[in-house]
Structure formats: structure tokens, C-alpha cells
Amino acid sequence: MAAKLAGGGGGRYSLGQNSEINVTPFVDILLVLLIIFMVAVPMAVTSIKIDLPPAVPNPTQEKPKEPVFISIQKSGAIFIADKQTSLDGLEADLNAKFNATGQAGPKDDQRVMIRADADVLYADFMGVLNQLQTSGWFKVGLINEDIH
């Protein structure tokens, strides 16, 4: 609360009440908020260009090809569908599987999905991924199943 120091009646030490609001702290807060918004708004409106697929698929697109599933067990055994394979024979067995399902063609169009046990060694898992990449398969997906 403020007090008037001059004017009005009363004695020398009689201080009357001042009912005017001190707006200085209010203006200070508004200026600080203004500066914060001036700095924050340009960061919020920066755009990053991304190429998204259309919301409605093109009706002329053909049905996507079914992926081939690779399973890795805890013991390090590798399976393509139900057939066991090794890391060295992975490329040949994958080519045979794609040829058997009628999906022979460029490896860019072929999709491979990998699922692995929770206890698989990281080296075994990365060995399969590296072998796929070295062989030319880049459309590789990882399957994650929720445990309830």
C-alpha cells in the first residue's frame, strides 16, 4: 500500500492512503513475457520439409508383396519361414524363398521381416542385419510383439 507524502490536511506526520495501483511490476512482467514469446514463436513455426505418402492410396497401385519372415532363436539358429538356414547361406536361401513365392525381382522391392527371441545375443541379431544389408536387402522390418 502506498502513502501520500504531500498535500491534504492533517499534521506534519499524517500520512493519507493512496488508492492508485503501482503498475511498474505489472509492466515489467508483461515486458518479460513479451520477450519470451518473441524468442519462442520463431522456433515453433520453423518447418521441416518431409515427403509424406498421400492420404488416399492411388487406385492404380498394385498390392504390396508379402514379406519373408526371418526368425532368430536364443540358440542362434536362423529360420526363413520354417526352413533352418545359416548366416552364410542366408542370401541363397532368401533368393530361393522369394523365387518360390513368385516375388523374384529386384531386391529393392522385396521386404524382409525379422523377429527374434528376447534373449538373442546382440552379435547374432546384428550379424543377420549386416548380412541382409551386404546382400542388398534394405527393406528390413523388425517385429515387436507386445507381452501382456
Side-chain angles (χ1 to χ4, degrees):
M1 185 177 292
K4 287 186 178 181
L5 297 178
R12 183 176 196 187
Y13 297 106
S14 175
L15 299 177
Q17 287 188 343
N18 184 3
S19 61
E20 296 176 13
I21 298 173
N22 187 3
V23 294
T24 305
F26 181 68
V27 172
D28 289 344
I29 290 172
L30 287 179
L31 289 175
V32 169
L33 288 175
L34 178 67
I35 292 170
I36 289 172
F37 283 117
M38 288 174 57
V39 171
V41 168
M43 287 185 230
V45 295
T46 56
S47 61
I48 299 171
K49 181 164 175 45
I50 55 175
D51 188 17
L52 294 174
V56 178
N58 190 354
T60 60
Q61 290 179 342
E62 62 185 49
K63 183 180 175 186
K65 298 177 181 178
E66 291 295 319
V68 171
F69 294 94
I70 298 176
S71 302
I72 307 171
Q73 291 183 340
K74 180 181 177 180
S75 62
I78 303 169
F79 289 87
I80 298 177
D82 295 333
K83 181 184 175 196
Q84 186 169 1
T85 186
S86 66
L87 197 58
D88 296 330
L90 186 62
E91 181 178 6
D93 289 338
L94 265 178
N95 282 327
K97 180 67 175 176
F98 279 116
N99 289 334
T101 58
Q103 299 182 35
K107 293 180 180 177
D108 293 342
D109 294 337
Q110 299 171 343
R111 295 184 305 148
V112 178
M113 301 297 271
I114 299 177
R115 62 179 156 222
D117 287 342
D119 298 331
V120 169
L121 294 176
Y122 182 73
D124 294 339
F125 181 75
M126 287 307 296
V128 172
L129 283 177
N130 289 336
Q131 183 63 33
L132 288 172
Q133 185 179 14
T134 303
S135 301
W137 280 284
F138 297 107
K139 288 189 177 182
V140 177
L142 306 178
I143 296 176
N144 180 18
E145 294 176 355
D146 292 335
I147 300 173
H148 298 285

